[in-house]
């Protein structure tokens, strides 16, 4: 069983890969609340009680970074920022293994997708080095998973 190289994960927004993606993260969360405890009665009044939780909801988000470009490449900083400014923030997003990347030796394609809202875009302009940008997409609704075996 081999580990997965980070470079094989790719993000697509509205069906198109992110140009010059340098980092990507898929976060999932389960939101819980503590169950109310009953008052102890009799002999159990000195017993230690364990906290129990209810599952309230689940959520997910995807964040990614890329190199910034001066021209308007499809799914790069300028294009995504234009969508954001225009209010076109509801997007379809995919987070998946890219089997075309050299070094991918997995036995299945991991594909996660859903509808999300672009909640933040940050342009980073360091004194030295290339400019970059970061995007956060908050999932709305279920995240779907598709695991497909690779057959040769």
């Amino acid at each position: 069983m081999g580990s997965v190289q980070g470079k094989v994960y790719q993000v697509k927004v509205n069906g198109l890969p992110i140009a010059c993606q340098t980092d990507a993260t898929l976060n999932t969360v389960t939101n819980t609340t503590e169950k109310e405890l009953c008052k102890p009665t009799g002999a159990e009044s000195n017993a230690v009680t364990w906290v129990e939780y209810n599952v309230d909801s689940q959520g997910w988000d995807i964040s990614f970074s890329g190199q910034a470009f001066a021209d308007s490449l499809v799914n790069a900083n300028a294009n995504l920022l234009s969508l954001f400014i225009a209010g076109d923030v509801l997007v379809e997003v995919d987070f998946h293994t890219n089997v075309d990347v050299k070094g991918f030796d997995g036995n299945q394609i991991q594909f996660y997708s859903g509808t999300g809202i672009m909640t933040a875009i940050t342009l980073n302009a360091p004194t030295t080095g290339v400019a970059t940008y970061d995007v956060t997409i908050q999932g709305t609704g279920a995240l779907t998973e598709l695991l497909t075996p690779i057959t040769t």
Side-chain angles (χ1 to χ4, degrees):
M1 176 185 278
S3 58
V4 178
Q5 298 285 322
K7 68 181 179 181
V8 303
Y9 282 101
Q10 181 178 54
V11 174
K12 288 184 178 180
V13 173
N14 293 335
L16 298 170
I18 298 303
C20 204
Q21 174 188 309
T22 59
D23 187 44
T25 303
L26 167 63
N27 296 303
T28 58
V29 64
T30 298
N31 301 302
T32 61
T33 53
E34 189 175 322
K35 289 183 179 181
E36 284 196 39
L37 297 175
C38 295
K39 289 183 178 182
T41 58
E44 61 188 34
S45 64
N46 292 327
V48 174
T49 44
W50 290 90
V51 177
E52 294 183 19
Y53 292 90
N54 292 313
V55 174
D56 293 331
S57 61
Q58 291 184 294
W60 59 276
D61 67 73
I62 291 176
S63 58
F64 59 88
S65 302
Q67 287 186 10
F69 293 93
D71 45 359
S72 185
L73 296 175
V74 174
N75 274 8
N77 55 295
N79 175 262
L80 293 171
L81 193 54
S82 292
L83 288 173
F84 192 89
I85 291 169
D88 294 332
V89 294
L90 194 64
V91 296
E92 294 299 317
V93 63
D94 306 329
F95 187 95
H96 65 278
T97 50
N98 183 355
V99 297
D100 296 328
V101 172
K102 183 179 178 182
F104 179 77
D105 61 356
N107 60 3
Q108 68 182 357
I109 298 171
Q110 301 169 352
F111 192 88
Y112 306 94
S113 63
T115 301
I117 300 167
M118 275 194 294
T119 57
I121 298 179
T122 304
L123 293 174
N124 308 299
T127 302
T128 59
V130 298
T132 61
Y133 68 101
D134 305 303
V135 176
T136 301
I137 297 173
Q138 177 66 54
T140 180
L143 178 68
T144 60
E145 174 186 55
L146 178 63
L147 305 176
T148 307
I150 297 174
T151 56
T152 53

